[in-house]
Amino acid sequence: MTNIPIESIPVLGKNPLPPAWRKYFSFSTDHKVIGVQYLVTSFVFFLIGGLLSMVMRAELITPESDLVDRSLYNSMFTMHGTIMIFLWIFPSLLGLANFLVPLMIGARDMAFPRLNAVAFWMVPVFGILLMSSFFLPSGASQSGWWAYPPVSLQNPSGDLINGQVMWLLAVAISGVASIMGAVNFVTTIFKMRAPGMTFFRMPIFVWTVLSAQLIQLVGLPALTAGAVMLLLDLTLGTSFFNPEKGGNPLLYQHFFWFYSHPAVYVMVLPIFGVFSEILPVYARKPLFGYRVVAISSITISVVSLLVWVHHMFASGTPGWMRMFFMATTMCVAVPTGVKIFAWTATIWRGKLRMDTPMLFALGAILMFLFAGITGVMLGSVPFDIHVNNTYFVVGHFHYIVYGTITMGMFAALYHWFPKITGRMYYEGLGKLHFWLAFIGTNLNFFPMHPAGLMGMPRRVSSYDPEYAFWNVLASLGGFLLGMSTLPFILNMVSSWVQGKKAPANPWRAIGLEWLVSSPPPVENFEEIPVVIAEPYGYGKSEPLVSNAAAMTQEA
Amino acid sequence: MKLRTVLTLAAIAIPITLISLWMGQQAYSWMPPQASAESKLIDDLFSFLVILGTFIFLGVGGTIIYSIIFYRAGKYDFSDGPPIEGNVTLEVVWTIIPVFLVIWIAGYSYHVYSQMAIREPMEIVHLHNPMEMESAYAAPEKNLDTQENVTKGAPESAVVLPPEEIEVHSRQWVWEFRYPEQNVTSTELHLPVDRRVRLALQTEDVLHGFYIPAFRLKQDIIPNRTIDFEFTPIRIGKYRLEDSQFSGTYFAVMQADVLVESPDDYKQWLAQAANREPSAAYNQAASEYSRFSDKAIKPGWPTIVPAPAPLVNQPGATSLKTYSQ
């Protein structure tokens, strides 16, 4: 696990390279290629999941169930949730981390490049497996992305190969792939840092990836085990969770949320990292309280392992358990609050330049602030008993998964687009994308809060007419959000093909990745950098590395 | 701190406080009518959370918006901002304030929860020492485990009379209520006003959720268990019971009417219903299942066959407010 010198890989220098685009369809072990593979694949699934949600919003624009069959609607929200989590947010974040982490810590690749490639290629495999269940005679899974038994065990078709089995297989494979990724990232970050890159010189993005991947290592085995047990119940007739045979359906809920709540932090922590990277660049100030922000990431991942029952406050949980997990849940607010304050202080008295990445980052932070406040409300047991499983919860977590994570992902994609592709994107289209997405997100997800307070349950395909007003607004917002991806796609494709050539450091940013060319050469660094400063030295004009010239010399 | 800073902060904090308090008042109007004693407690808690939330949102969000407007770099200004890397005092303050806030919220929530005394699922409780956890951060007025608790602020009759016992049977996708004393069954939930009600929640197949938004109360129903659930209706009227835990294909139509009646009307209804011959209730799920689907998009996937319409003394309304075309 040391950095292999470039001379030991003789093939690349001698043979003429194949056309650039072809490497993205090959079993490449280059972390940058794998990063792009993750990003593009996950974006395709993002569009599929988004289309499903737009059909759902079309169904919900009227109170009656009048567009799609109820069973189809149920499978749509199941697949929407599953695709967006396991095939958009997880892999897109892994893509970003794959591209950036080795560059940011001064490594030539990940610790286990081949494992990295295998983990990626499992994504299209289980993605296709999952999507193909739509074409089964029994239909795709219809039990929601929680797949709570006994509903998930009912299997009305009687077929052995049914949508639920395919879903469980896909989730189990996804779990295995993510564990592979987690092992790789944790090892890379611990073992492959460049000389001088101490823990407290690592960029916050690396800290947050580390925090997130540590959660994966601890939590994923629980989910994967739960999925396998449910699969055994469903196919072999075991009785882990089947109440008809004396199994305990509540046990599954604990298995599921023990991982799936921390999973939210797996998804959001790297985006906190993105904010912490982007704000200093466009505000021209060091990140406020760097060490505290770094430590609060680890704190969040530790506390996140002890809060899962807050998803079960209305379930079969006794009072003491509800009270205990209310207390732990509230604790998460503290390190998270510290981060928001640190970002606010970072832009305070800065020299702000509102380019597209900064717009997305600040828009996402504002929406995260709102989601954090409704999140603390949900942590309060008595209030949660009213809004649990209503649209209030749906509104809250969409402010996280879209308002914060997806918007933050767009911020990252614009910010590192020149580094990834070697081209500049079109600023005008980027700003158009931001405003459509910002308005669309709020129009789509804010009305879900009042609907939930009034009592509209989630996962319904028809509802009482008094909820109609807010649903019409949400549906219009949903369609606008769908439209907002068009300028993004146009921007990415046209910029990649014919955008202006990007210099090594178009944003005057500090960081190892900005010292190498755009796109970075294979193996990243000619000579491994020697780091001599903390990562956010804006306004201090001190060098980051001692061997800047040698490390970028072209071979 | 300089006097000017203090005055500026005060000038900002006062209007934000006023707006937050006003939002806290508005919060009551975002909720359904207060039809149970518990709903008053929960609405007060929600109002408090809205006040705090608004204050934080305006305070932090306002600072961010202010920075966006007033700290913009000029078009040709490529200089850096001041290299401020942190401020220990500030960081300690903004760690301690959230700590106090969340302790306050958790303590208040704990207090409300113990006052509600809704008798959540208990069977695991007795295996543990239930009070071990709570005493650390809040002193409860009443033990959570006390069986005879009645929601604070409930009318006197709710305290004096023993709770009215009603069985709730749920199955895919219909609610059925049984009044054991009179042996009356119904698909409408009739409840006496101002009296403690004790429900015995049961399911015959999958998880369901008992949820009446106007009561602000919700409890999942779990196979092979009977869960006791208590509350006090305080407002005469007609409300909706919704299934809140996803239960399969016709989940959305698993609803029932809830009628809170004066004690006399309630008694009269029970007496009348007891004399009525049981008849088949209207069943939205079964009726949709048997009908040809005329939806635009229909895959024809197999689904669980809905349970037959229950035979009850009080079959209730013939249709739900929501229906499939």
Side-chain angles (χ1 to χ4, degrees):
Chain A
M1 267 159 290
T2 48
N3 284 299
I4 304 157
I6 200 161
E7 290 76 19
S8 68
I9 305 161
V11 189
L12 286 168
K14 288 173 187 165
N15 295 343
L17 287 166
W21 60 269
R22 268 175 52 191
K23 69 184 176 201
Y24 292 112
F25 292 89
S26 68
F27 188 86
S28 170
T29 52
D30 181 344
H31 74 97
K32 297 184 291 297
V33 175
I34 295 174
V36 174
Q37 287 174 326
Y38 265 119
L39 287 169
V40 174
T41 311
S42 60
F43 189 75
V44 171
F45 283 108
F46 172 70
L47 294 179
I48 295 172
L51 277 176
L52 290 177
S53 71
M54 285 167 78
V55 177
M56 281 152 65
R57 282 319 318 173
E59 169 68 75
L60 293 177
I61 203 164
T62 57
E64 299 84 17
S65 161
D66 46 15
L67 179 66
V68 294
D69 194 73
R70 288 195 195 272
S71 55
L72 183 57
Y73 182 88
N74 294 343
S75 73
M76 282 177 145
F77 73 67
T78 303
M79 296 301 253
H80 166 74
T82 312
I83 289 171
M84 288 306 199
I85 291 165
F86 294 104
L87 287 159
W88 158 240
I89 295 181
F90 275 175
S92 65
L93 289 171
L94 284 175
L96 201 60
N98 242 301
F99 192 93
L100 291 176
V101 166
L103 279 167
M104 282 180 161
I105 62 171
R108 291 206 166 108
D109 207 316
M110 297 283 285
F112 311 112
R114 214 168 291 273
L115 185 72
N116 199 16
V118 172
F120 163 72
W121 281 103
M122 285 165 94
V123 174
V125 168
F126 74 77
I128 290 165
L129 187 70
L130 192 68
M131 296 310 298
S132 64
S133 64
F134 268 113
F135 303 101
L136 288 174
S138 61
S141 167
Q142 297 160 41
S143 58
W145 87 275
W146 306 349
Y148 273 8
V151 166
S152 54
L153 293 174
Q154 281 191 313
N155 187 16
S157 67
D159 299 345
L160 182 64
I161 303 297
N162 56 61
Q164 192 65 53
V165 166
M166 303 281 266
W167 185 91
L168 284 165
L169 282 174
V171 168
I173 297 173
S174 154
V176 172
S178 295
I179 292 171
M180 288 180 185
V183 170
N184 211 346
F185 277 108
V186 172
T187 315
T188 306
I189 294 169
F190 272 110
K191 291 287 178 191
M192 309 258 298
R193 281 169 290 124
M197 178 60 81
T198 58
F199 278 109
F200 282 111
R201 280 184 186 159
M202 292 197 309
I204 293 292
F205 182 76
V206 180
W207 271 99
T208 55
V209 168
L210 179 64
S211 311
Q213 297 301 325
L214 285 171
I215 296 177
Q216 294 282 56
L217 277 185
V218 177
L220 259 172
L223 177 78
T224 310
V228 169
M229 280 188 269
L230 194 61
L231 189 64
L232 293 176
D233 274 11
L234 188 59
T235 52
L236 300 181
T238 54
S239 55
F240 293 106
F241 309 127
N242 190 347
E244 282 175 21
K245 298 174 183 167
N248 186 353
L250 276 183
L251 182 63
Y252 174 84
Q253 298 183 11
H254 286 286
F255 271 112
F256 181 80
W257 288 117
F258 178 77
Y259 169 68
S260 293
H261 187 79
V264 178
Y265 299 97
V266 176
M267 297 190 270
V268 83
L269 277 169
I271 294 300
F272 291 169
V274 167
F275 298 154
S276 307
E277 296 304 316
I278 288 179
L279 296 190
V281 177
Y282 297 85
R284 312 308 305 167
K285 273 183 68 197
L287 181 69
F288 195 94
Y290 161 71
R291 278 168 189 249
V292 179
V293 173
I295 291 166
S296 65
S297 304
I298 296 285
T299 316
I300 288 174
S301 59
V302 172
V303 179
S304 77
L305 292 168
L306 293 169
V307 301
W308 77 94
V309 176
H310 68 222
H311 294 269
M312 300 165 62
F313 281 161
S315 181
T317 44
W320 67 265
M321 197 187 267
R322 294 178 183 183
M323 295 298 112
F324 174 75
F325 281 94
M326 171 167 76
T328 56
T329 300
M330 294 285 168
C331 292
V332 184
V334 177
T336 315
V338 165
K339 288 197 167 197
I340 294 190
F341 296 138
W343 296 326
T344 310
T346 301
I347 62 169
W348 185 254
R349 293 178 59 202
K351 301 255 184 184
L352 272 63
R353 207 166 280 279
M354 299 304 285
D355 293 329
T356 307
M358 187 63 160
L359 275 176
F360 270 99
L362 289 174
I365 289 173
L366 280 176
M367 288 192 277
F368 177 65
L369 178 63
F370 181 77
I373 289 166
T374 55
V376 172
M377 291 179 175
L378 285 167
S380 162
V381 171
F383 176 66
D384 183 74
I385 284 178
H386 174 47
V387 291
N388 184 295
N389 272 355
T390 68
Y391 260 87
F392 190 88
V393 178
V394 181
H396 158 75
F397 74 71
H398 277 91
Y399 262 83
I400 300 282
V401 292
Y402 205 108
T404 310
I405 297 174
T406 303
M407 296 287 271
M409 176 55 72
F410 285 134
L413 290 177
Y414 284 110
H415 180 64
W416 281 290
F417 184 84
K419 184 54 61 184
I420 295 171
T421 63
R423 306 272 182 169
M424 299 303 287
Y425 64 85
Y426 299 107
E427 193 60 44
L429 276 174
K431 290 204 165 85
L432 175 68
H433 175 210
F434 169 76
W435 285 110
L436 290 178
F438 188 73
I439 297 166
T441 307
N442 285 293
L443 189 59
N444 191 352
F445 303 124
F446 184 80
M448 292 180 176
H449 295 82
L453 289 173
M454 291 166 74
M456 179 176 168
R458 66 191 286 192
R459 299 181 163 159
V460 290
S461 45
S462 61
Y463 52 86
D464 286 357
E466 66 251 39
Y467 309 131
F469 172 74
W470 297 111
N471 276 285
V472 171
L473 286 188
S475 290
L476 295 176
F479 303 142
L480 182 61
L481 208 46
M483 292 302 111
S484 77
T485 53
L486 297 180
F488 173 73
I489 297 170
L490 180 65
N491 201 353
M492 293 293 112
V493 173
S494 57
S495 306
W496 203 334
V497 174
Q498 55 171 28
K500 208 172 66 176
K501 284 254 191 290
N505 189 0
W507 313 123
R508 300 180 294 128
I510 295 174
L512 293 180
E513 80 269 31
W514 300 108
L515 292 177
V516 295
S517 62
S518 301
V522 175
E523 300 281 301
N524 303 340
F525 306 103
E526 178 62 22
E527 185 181 306
I528 294 298
V530 178
V531 181
I532 53 169
E534 286 196 354
Y536 305 105
Y538 296 93
K540 297 205 293 187
S541 56
E542 56 182 23
L544 181 66
V545 295
S546 61
N547 55 344
M551 62 178 267
T552 55
Q553 219 168 51
E554 290 297 328
Chain B
M1 251 190 287
K2 278 184 223 138
L3 183 66
R4 194 163 156 250
T5 322
V6 174
L7 287 177
T8 317
L9 281 178
I12 296 163
I14 289 167
I16 291 182
T17 311
L18 291 176
I19 295 171
S20 305
L21 291 171
W22 179 79
M23 284 286 277
Q25 284 308 305
Q26 295 303 302
Y28 289 95
S29 68
W30 306 335
M31 291 286 205
Q34 290 182 337
S36 74
E38 291 75 12
S39 63
K40 289 185 171 172
L41 296 167
I42 291 176
D43 288 4
D44 291 343
L45 172 65
F46 178 57
S47 169
F48 164 76
L49 291 172
V50 168
I51 293 170
L52 274 187
T54 310
F55 189 86
I56 292 167
F57 187 79
L58 292 178
V60 179
T63 313
I64 293 175
I65 303 267
Y66 179 90
S67 306
I68 294 174
I69 297 171
F70 294 104
Y71 296 132
R72 296 284 273 274
K75 200 175 178 189
Y76 301 105
D77 178 5
F78 290 103
S79 63
D80 286 346
I84 307 163
E85 296 194 299
N87 180 328
V88 176
T89 321
L90 199 56
E91 285 167 55
V92 169
V93 167
W94 73 37
T95 310
I96 288 178
I97 289 177
V99 169
F100 275 112
L101 284 181
V102 297
I103 291 175
W104 190 9
I105 295 171
Y108 183 15
S109 303
Y110 175 84
H111 187 65
V112 168
Y113 188 71
S114 47
Q115 283 185 333
M116 284 162 58
I118 49 177
R119 300 194 75 199
E120 68 292 326
M122 310 271 269
E123 65 186 45
I124 314 166
V125 174
H126 304 294
L127 303 175
H128 302 264
N129 176 0
M131 283 300 98
E132 212 170 56
M133 308 298 185
E134 288 92 343
S135 53
Y137 57 89
E141 276 199 341
K142 284 175 183 170
N143 194 308
L144 264 188
D145 234 0
T146 309
Q147 307 278 316
E148 304 310 326
N149 248 351
V150 170
T151 309
K152 199 179 150 193
E156 209 178 313
S157 53
V159 185
V160 178
L161 294 169
E164 179 75 4
E165 306 219 6
I166 302 169
E167 294 171 11
V168 176
H169 298 273
S170 52
R171 61 184 81 95
Q172 287 171 316
W173 289 268
V174 66
W175 296 99
E176 187 183 339
F177 310 100
R178 185 167 171 274
Y179 298 75
E181 258 178 65
Q182 295 80 7
N183 196 23
V184 164
T185 52
S186 166
T187 50
E188 289 171 354
L189 180 58
H190 286 250
L191 300 169
V193 75
D194 291 345
R195 186 162 165 197
R196 197 78 178 157
V197 174
R198 180 180 295 166
L199 302 179
L201 305 174
Q202 288 180 333
T203 168
E204 292 171 17
D205 36 53
V206 298
L207 301 170
H208 295 281
F210 181 93
Y211 177 39
I212 301 172
F215 293 177
R216 318 277 188 282
L217 294 176
K218 184 180 288 123
Q219 174 60 52
D220 283 7
I221 312 176
I222 293 150
N224 298 339
R225 279 170 78 169
T226 302
I227 295 175
D228 284 348
F229 197 56
E230 276 191 16
F231 53 89
T232 312
I234 54 164
R235 186 173 177 274
I236 291 173
K238 189 172 169 182
Y239 311 103
R240 294 294 278 174
L241 163 64
E242 296 167 342
D243 186 359
S244 60
Q245 185 59 272
F246 181 69
S247 58
T249 312
Y250 299 101
F251 163 68
V253 302
M254 187 156 162
Q255 302 195 2
D257 281 331
V258 179
L259 293 111
V260 178
E261 297 162 326
S262 69
D264 290 340
D265 288 350
Y266 175 70
K267 267 192 205 118
Q268 204 185 344
W269 171 79
L270 267 180
Q272 281 174 359
N275 292 327
R276 215 175 286 147
E277 279 298 303
S279 58
Y282 176 76
N283 186 335
Q284 174 80 22
S287 118
E288 276 190 33
Y289 179 77
S290 60
R291 231 177 321 164
F292 177 73
S293 167
D294 56 359
K295 307 277 165 53
I297 308 168
K298 47 175 187 285
W301 294 339
T303 174
I304 293 293
V305 182
L311 287 175
V312 289
N313 302 95
Q314 175 74 45
T318 51
S319 73
L320 293 167
K321 273 196 275 182
T322 50
Y323 50 87
S324 172
Q325 286 172 345

